[in-house]
Amino acid sequence: MADSPDTPALEPKTVKVSRGDTLMGLMVGAGAGRSDAHEAITALREVYSPRRLRPGQEIELTFSTISAIDEEEANAQGSADDTNADSLLMGLSLQSAVDEIVQVARAAASDDFVAEAIARPLERQVLHGSGTIESSLFVAARNAGIPNSVMIGLMRAFSYDVDFQREIQPGDKFDLVYEAFYDNEGKMAKTGNILVASLSLSGTPLNLYSFTPSSGFTDFFDEKGQAVRKALLRTPVDGARLSSGFGVRKHPILGYNKMHKGLDFAAPSGTPIYAAGDGVIERIGRNGGYGKYIRIRHHSGYKTAYAHMKGYGKGVKKGKRVKQGQIIGYVGTTGRSTGPHLHYEVLVNNKQVNPRKIKLPAGEKLKKQDLKNFQAHRADMDQLRQDIIAGNAQIVQAAPANCNAPQSVDESGTATASAASPNGC
Ligand SMILES: [Zn+2]
């Protein structure tokens, strides 16, 4: 570190936010003078609210050591503040978003603190990952280095056609082409869209392609250009375990045989519950043994009901319109319930039916120019997947040691997936 009076010696100090910390407290604790800290925070507020700070977040403070600045000024500063007289706060920086940092620095001319937000462009990369399911989809995804958010996306894409509770068998395969965004240190900042999602169930491959038709609404389409989206989701909670099916069973609390008019999904308390389809909130509130309850009216005489909720989603009120996949509430155990789970019902003409037996009408089928564009897009995506797989071995070798790009490794230890970028991360 340079230490002559002509070149100020800057000393960085990283502080980590803990629960209950204030930015002021952290800065003073690290040696900043109170008035300096106050001025720096005032400047920061113009581009970033300190209330957005979260435990675990790091803030880099920069100090100028005494030898590098005017002694008299530093002493005056120190005595006025009655704090650390050895160093002077020069600025701070923190990551405000995955693709942005904010910086506060003393302006050379005025000595005032000035804040700015600096975009940190992320690099988009297309990744390929594949695997064979041995026990669960999530274990297989982890083994393949595929982030959970991407796997949840795959489950959503297939949720209209595949009953993940029943139809997934050991030996089934998945294959994904998806986007990921990396920062300049080669760390994955976030995942993007799934471009192609494939599942092979008992040897039958199903390929879905993300595509934006002229309507402007991006969706998944099968190889023939048929939208996979249907009026109702099969499972209105992610990754939940079906703990009780539809039909007669011995009631866990009442003890006698009783018709179970819905499906129970066991999930941790607080797990989000999604509206199974577009519709209007017909009923919301306590409903006897159902506890906290919501019923949604959909098109064509369908309704769905959700019971034992812990609480309701933001802005979800009676008469409100909801979209498929919107969070309407959270898993709980209110009403007559033995533990956190969602009791889910589908009603046709106000009568409960087995949600697993209903045959929902097919979604939109692409036509004319949309279909032509889709077929071209599909061919491009198939080619892209082939290119990534073919170029794979070289990409893995070229990857630098600190590259964090997910790479899937099969049981023999061979990498089977990697980034599509030339340097592999
Ligand atoms: Zn139930």
Side-chain angles (χ1 to χ4, degrees):
M1 196 179 287
D3 209 14
S4 83
D6 299 317
T7 49
L10 294 178
E11 190 193 325
K13 217 179 237 182
T14 303
V15 293
K16 204 172 200 172
V17 179
S18 298
R19 216 175 221 303
D21 278 343
T22 63
L23 185 53
M24 184 70 170
L26 282 167
M27 290 172 74
V28 171
R34 262 186 188 281
S35 63
D36 276 354
H38 178 75
E39 279 174 36
I41 292 169
T42 304
L44 174 70
R45 281 213 174 91
E46 284 174 27
V47 294
Y48 177 87
S49 165
R51 290 167 63 173
R52 284 171 56 198
L53 288 171
R54 290 288 168 263
Q57 196 164 347
E58 289 184 345
I59 302 162
E60 189 168 297
L61 304 171
T62 308
F63 292 94
S64 176
T65 54
I66 191 81
S67 60
I69 55 166
D70 186 74
E71 295 259 356
E72 218 171 302
E73 193 193 315
N75 286 335
Q77 173 77 31
S79 56
D81 275 337
D82 196 28
T83 53
N84 194 336
D86 298 332
S87 57
L88 182 67
L89 179 70
M90 297 305 283
L92 66 93
S93 74
L94 60 91
Q95 187 160 351
S96 47
V98 289
D99 55 357
E100 187 193 76
I101 56 171
V102 292
Q103 253 175 17
V104 178
R106 254 179 218 277
S110 64
D111 220 29
D112 289 339
F113 285 102
V114 178
E116 63 175 330
I118 300 159
R120 224 180 41 145
L122 297 175
E123 195 194 335
R124 173 186 179 268
Q125 292 179 12
V126 178
L127 308 183
H128 170 257
S130 62
T132 301
I133 298 155
E134 305 294 346
S135 54
S136 89
L137 203 57
F138 282 99
V139 171
R142 197 177 61 219
N143 291 342
I146 295 171
N148 263 351
S149 57
V150 175
M151 219 52 204
I152 287 173
L154 173 131
M155 290 177 74
R156 286 218 183 117
F158 281 103
S159 63
Y160 302 94
D161 296 305
V162 175
D163 187 338
F164 281 92
Q165 305 284 346
R166 279 196 305 192
E167 292 177 43
I168 297 288
Q169 306 286 339
D172 287 344
K173 295 180 196 315
F174 62 87
D175 191 296
L176 280 160
V177 179
Y178 61 99
E179 297 172 322
F181 295 86
Y182 290 84
D183 65 19
N184 54 8
E185 285 161 2
K187 258 166 74 180
M188 189 193 280
K190 61 177 181 182
T191 57
N193 296 316
I194 293 176
L195 305 178
V196 188
S198 305
L199 263 187
S200 289
L201 303 181
S202 312
T204 312
L206 288 160
N207 296 312
L208 302 182
Y209 300 83
S210 175
F211 178 69
T212 311
S214 51
S215 68
F217 291 101
T218 304
D219 228 327
F220 283 104
F221 294 85
D222 69 12
E223 290 173 335
K224 296 194 176 92
Q226 173 78 56
V228 296
R229 179 179 297 277
K230 294 195 173 74
L232 296 181
L233 298 172
R234 270 181 186 274
T235 308
V237 274
D238 285 327
R241 180 177 59 86
L242 183 79
S243 53
S244 185
F246 187 91
V248 177
R249 63 158 183 184
K250 192 167 183 169
H251 193 278
I253 289 180
L254 303 176
Y256 51 83
N257 284 341
K258 198 171 183 289
M259 179 69 185
H260 187 231
K261 292 179 173 177
L263 303 178
D264 287 348
F265 295 101
S269 179
T271 302
I273 299 167
Y274 307 115
D278 295 353
V280 174
I281 304 285
E282 184 181 71
R283 178 165 180 171
I284 178 167
R286 292 242 172 211
N287 185 6
Y290 281 125
K292 288 190 178 170
Y293 173 92
I294 283 181
R295 192 166 62 229
I296 302 174
R297 189 175 65 243
H298 308 283
H299 289 298
S300 329
Y302 282 102
K303 290 177 183 179
T304 53
Y306 313 78
H308 309 310
M309 289 177 159
K310 180 182 187 178
Y312 307 115
K314 231 184 189 168
V316 177
K317 291 191 189 79
K318 189 175 174 179
K320 268 254 176 183
R321 198 160 278 286
V322 289
K323 296 292 286 176
Q324 184 174 66
Q326 182 181 334
I327 295 174
I328 53 165
Y330 301 90
V331 171
T333 184
T334 55
R336 206 156 55 214
S337 166
T338 51
H341 76 285
L342 168 69
H343 171 91
Y344 173 63
E345 294 181 356
V346 175
L347 300 95
V348 178
N349 300 324
N350 294 316
K351 199 172 174 300
Q352 287 94 343
V353 296
N354 187 344
R356 298 179 131 174
K357 294 269 171 71
I358 50 172
K359 190 116 181 76
L360 294 163
E364 172 199 10
K365 173 94 171 69
L366 294 173
K367 291 187 197 84
K368 296 178 187 161
Q369 194 57 45
D370 271 340
L371 186 58
K372 263 191 205 162
N373 293 346
F374 171 75
Q375 294 300 2
H377 173 78
R378 189 195 135 193
D380 287 349
M381 287 297 115
D382 287 343
Q383 187 60 51
L384 176 63
R385 171 153 67 183
Q386 289 311 315
D387 289 349
I388 298 172
I389 295 170
N392 183 42
Q394 244 178 332
I395 290 165
V396 171
Q397 278 170 3
N402 65 347
C403 175
N404 284 311
Q407 290 161 8
S408 115
V409 175
D410 65 23
E411 263 123 279
S412 65
T414 316
T416 57
S418 186
S421 74
N423 68 359
C425 78

